[in-house]
Amino acid sequence: MKICNLVAPAKINLYLEVLGERVDHYHELIMVLQSIELSDYIKIYFNGTRDFNLYCNNSLVPLNETNIAYRAAQLIVKKFPKFFDSYGGVDIIINKCIPVAAGLAGGSTDGAAVLLALNLLWKLKLNKTELEKLSENLGSDVPFCITGGTAIATGRGETLNPIENLDNLWVVLAKYQNFSISTPWAYQNYKKRFGEYYWKIDSNNRNNNFKSLVNAISHKNDKRIGELLHNDLEKVVLPKHLVINKLKSFISKTGGLGTMMSGSGPTIFTLCESYEKAQDIKNVITQELQDSNLELFISKLSNNGIKIMEN
Ligand code: ATP
């Protein structure tokens, strides 16, 4: 095999709770992560040189060593230098469809895709567990992006427990094109505002909503799932960015099961029980807000992480 085509799905956070800061300065989190069908499309092939070249159709995506896809390739080179000597470099072409810096793990999923592709192209024979472990070096969301589906994520997000899938539901996503939020900014501000409460909330109280959500997911109680969506980072992002706050307020009145910001934002999503409902909600948002800067997507929740396509 000389060429690898991959589908790399985005994720949304159905639940994100910050418990405190760890000794390694990452935040300790409890999350429920969910893959959606909205994806980047990635093509990787041998280029006959010792270089790794990156191409992307979105000018917001860096084409240097800060790109997670590039860092993924560098990580594999570092761990498996003999395979690099045998196979050489690759070209990585990213067809970016996931909005950038949107709280949808767009970079993480590209990084996960490159790990899977090089595992295949360089015949490394790493299994999923080994790939997930390796991917922790690239970022907290990358292990989830490999396997995807619906999962509880703890630690800094890298410890995963798959749960009942929710692929019967749909989501409408709304993101202002000219507006992005940096994940480090969101966590730094959360710490400034709430750091004094870290690790202090009684664990029984703390986990009530989380447990109820997991219970609702296991019983496929869509209405309860919508009611129990939660994201602590809204407490710093929404007061600071009133435009996102207003967008969330508007969307939460359009009839979805529940409306929430994904990750560190600024994407707002609303869960829907059917494609028709999602389409109705999208039409209402388009007509009422009439904002050409607001990008809207309809996507199905998905059971899949990175998919390797047949050539
Ligand atoms: P997460 O939800 O994992 O916190 P995000 O969805 O908020 O991430 P990304 O789309 O991953 O954000 O982009 C965050 C930043 O990472 C961008 O501003 C960009 O500079 C950088 N970046 C590096 N590699 C990529 C990539 N492959 N795709 C998109 N952004 C990338």
Side-chain angles (χ1 to χ4, degrees):
M1 186 188 250
K2 291 200 163 79
I3 185 160
C4 192
N5 285 298
L6 306 104
V7 182
K11 64 90 184 129
I12 54 173
N13 297 73
L14 301 179
Y15 191 93
L16 189 162
E17 185 178 357
V18 181
L19 302 187
E21 196 183 20
R22 301 146 47 112
V23 281
D24 59 11
H25 299 299
Y26 283 99
H27 278 88
E28 181 77 16
L29 306 171
I30 300 186
M31 299 189 283
V32 178
L33 300 176
Q34 174 65 56
S35 302
I36 58 175
E37 286 186 350
L38 176 68
S39 298
D40 287 346
Y41 296 86
I42 299 179
K43 180 182 274 205
I44 300 184
Y45 51 85
F46 292 126
N47 59 21
T49 74
R50 288 178 67 81
D51 295 330
F52 291 86
N53 304 316
L54 209 52
Y55 303 90
C56 183
N57 59 335
N58 185 325
S59 59
L60 295 173
V61 175
L63 297 178
N64 54 26
E65 63 287 347
T66 63
N67 193 302
I68 309 182
Y70 190 86
R71 286 176 41 227
Q74 290 304 102
L75 178 67
I76 295 281
V77 171
K78 194 169 149 215
K79 295 272 174 192
F80 304 97
K82 290 208 172 102
F83 287 81
F84 177 47
D85 287 341
S86 305
Y87 290 103
V90 293
D91 283 5
I92 301 168
I93 299 165
I94 302 172
N95 179 4
K96 173 80 37 199
C97 302
I98 303 170
V100 177
L104 300 173
S108 302
T109 198
D110 295 349
V114 170
L115 291 186
L116 261 72
L118 288 180
N119 185 41
L120 207 66
L121 291 170
W122 287 9
K123 301 188 177 62
L124 300 175
K125 300 200 174 116
L126 300 174
N127 62 32
K128 275 251 164 87
T129 313
E130 290 166 326
L131 283 164
E132 283 182 5
K133 191 78 205 144
L134 189 61
S135 75
E136 287 176 20
N137 295 294
L138 297 172
S140 309
D141 285 340
V142 188
F144 171 76
C145 292
I146 289 178
T147 311
T150 312
I152 297 168
T154 50
R156 55 187 179 98
E158 82 290 9
T159 307
L160 300 169
N161 278 296
I163 54 175
E164 192 76 23
N165 66 61
L166 285 176
D167 60 352
N168 56 317
L169 295 180
W170 293 77
V171 67
V172 181
L173 303 145
K175 153 96 183 26
Y176 286 109
Q177 270 173 16
N178 63 354
F179 197 98
S180 55
I181 289 181
S182 124
T183 304
W185 175 89
Y187 280 104
Q188 278 157 19
N189 278 275
Y190 192 88
K191 183 180 157 189
K192 261 192 222 153
R193 174 92 170 70
F194 298 104
E196 63 184 295
Y197 306 112
Y198 281 0
W199 304 114
K200 291 197 180 133
I201 302 163
D202 171 65
S203 66
N204 289 326
N205 281 332
R206 189 180 66 210
N207 284 325
N208 271 350
N209 269 2
F210 168 71
K211 285 182 189 153
S212 305
L213 175 63
V214 174
N215 196 32
I217 291 172
S218 67
H219 289 92
K220 298 243 179 241
N221 185 339
D222 300 341
K223 188 164 172 289
R224 273 304 273 158
I225 294 168
E227 288 164 359
L228 290 163
L229 299 174
H230 176 81
N231 184 348
D232 271 344
L233 295 178
E234 284 195 341
K235 295 179 206 161
V236 287
V237 174
L238 299 188
K240 169 89 181 159
H241 299 292
L242 294 181
V243 62
I244 307 302
N245 198 6
K246 272 168 81 177
L247 179 66
K248 185 188 169 193
S249 301
F250 178 81
I251 294 179
S252 54
K253 292 182 198 116
T254 55
L257 295 165
T259 303
M260 191 57 44
M261 184 180 82
S262 183
S264 53
T267 302
I268 300 292
F269 70 85
T270 192
L271 284 184
C272 306
E273 59 272 43
S274 66
Y275 174 75
E276 289 70 25
K277 185 74 191 177
Q279 190 64 56
D280 285 348
I281 289 176
K282 185 179 172 218
N283 289 342
V284 169
I285 301 171
T286 308
Q287 279 157 22
E288 297 284 323
L289 296 187
Q290 303 235 349
D291 188 338
S292 57
N293 188 36
L294 185 65
E295 278 187 301
L296 296 170
F297 304 85
I298 293 178
S299 193
K300 197 166 194 270
L301 305 199
S302 156
N303 292 336
N304 295 313
I306 306 296
K307 259 202 286 191
I308 297 170
M309 307 305 284
E310 299 286 328
N311 286 318

